[in-house]
Amino acid sequence: MTFPRRSIAIGALVLAAVPALANPFERVRPVTHEPTRKECGECHMPFQPGLLPAGSWTRIMDTLNDHFGESAALTPDVAADIRAYLTGNAAGRGDGGLLRITEQPWWTRKHHFRPDVWTRPSVVSKANCEACHRGAAQGLYEDD
Amino acid sequence: MIPHALRRILLSTALFAVGAGVAYAAGESAARSAILDGYAAQAKAEAPIFAGFSADRGRALYLGPHAGGKADTNACAACHTPNPAAAGRHAKTGRTIEPMAVSANPKRFTDRAEVEKRFDRDCPNVLGRACTAAEKGDFITYLSGQ
């Protein structure tokens, strides 16, 4: 008589596990804040706030003078506005000690490709999400 | 056979669209001239011998190569592409950049704050220093003729 009870218990476990397994980054809210779209979308696509935890955004906004070797400096009022938007809509998970999306463990797990993929003329950089994800600007990263 | 009345409407809409296009382009070229005038005044203040902008000097600045900046971006053309009428590509991020030539992209050099911000960022990368007002004017003069 223990058998059906066990299978019910397992079924409940599986159901509970499904939401945890779905990748929360495969669909993130698009950038809705115009200053972020403009100022953070010049050199690369404007990354959605939901791709990084607040700690990472805070460190990025603290170091715009030396932003991955470039200056992305902004006037203080614009920077404060963008900082509030990014941290206020940040991901609930991820490693806030890492600045890059492309260093986050969830990202590297999904992007185990041959090294020469990253140097293709159409790709150039891991951060060029749009080269591979056509829906990247809309926050859509499901397999396509 | 398009009915006469409809044809009149179509024609006047077309004329209106052309007229609006011309007015818009005039606004853009006025904005660009104002930016150039500002750089000319600044260039005169920096060096009294300043005798106007030169498209040839602007072309040399654009195409490089230059020493002093970063090795992978030793020319404006590294990101903006040697053919300014073509779309460029950011050397580090791979992102497409709209053409710099005014003929291909009439919106170029019409927003003073935007133009200044990008000179402030791009000149140190390429030259290892800020651009002078004369260089900025040369650059815009070259690309306005492209």
Side-chain angles (χ1 to χ4, degrees), chain A residues 78-95:
Chain A
V78 176
D81 189 20
I82 291 177
R83 179 194 291 264
Y85 171 70
L86 291 173
T87 55
N89 294 278
R93 58 173 78 188
D95 183 344

Side-chain angles (χ1 to χ4, degrees), chain B residues 54-145:
Chain B
S54 146
D56 284 347
R57 283 197 307 263
R59 181 169 180 276
L61 172 62
Y62 185 88
L63 290 176
H66 302 282
K70 295 178 188 160
D72 52 349
T73 53
N74 64 357
C76 311
C79 291
H80 292 299
T81 194
N83 172 6
R89 176 179 281 271
H90 195 287
K92 284 194 191 147
T93 67
R95 176 144 230 231
T96 303
I97 301 176
E98 286 181 35
M100 290 300 267
V102 168
S103 63
N105 186 1
K107 296 190 305 290
R108 278 298 174 207
F109 317 114
T110 52
D111 176 338
R112 187 191 302 265
E114 189 61 27
V115 167
E116 265 297 287
K117 187 181 72 186
R118 284 310 315 194
F119 276 129
D120 283 351
R121 284 178 184 164
D122 292 344
C123 293
N125 271 342
V126 175
L127 305 173
R129 60 167 176 81
C131 285
T132 62
E135 284 171 328
K136 294 174 185 176
D138 291 344
F139 185 81
I140 295 177
T141 301
Y142 164 58
L143 292 163
S144 300

Side-chain angles (χ1 to χ4, degrees), chain A residues 117-125 128 130-132, chain B residues 89 93-94:
Chain A
V117 166
W118 305 116
T119 53
R120 280 184 197 159
S122 61
V123 177
V124 178
S125 161
N128 191 5
E130 286 172 300
C132 306
Chain B
R89 176 179 281 271
T93 67

Side-chain angles (χ1 to χ4, degrees), chain A residues 43-67:
Chain A
C43 303
H44 43 63
M45 65 168 262
F47 300 117
Q48 290 86 14
L51 292 171
L52 283 174
S56 305
W57 290 125
T58 299
R59 292 186 52 201
I60 285 175
M61 295 308 293
D62 283 345
T63 54
L64 286 182
N65 281 327
D66 184 2
H67 178 74

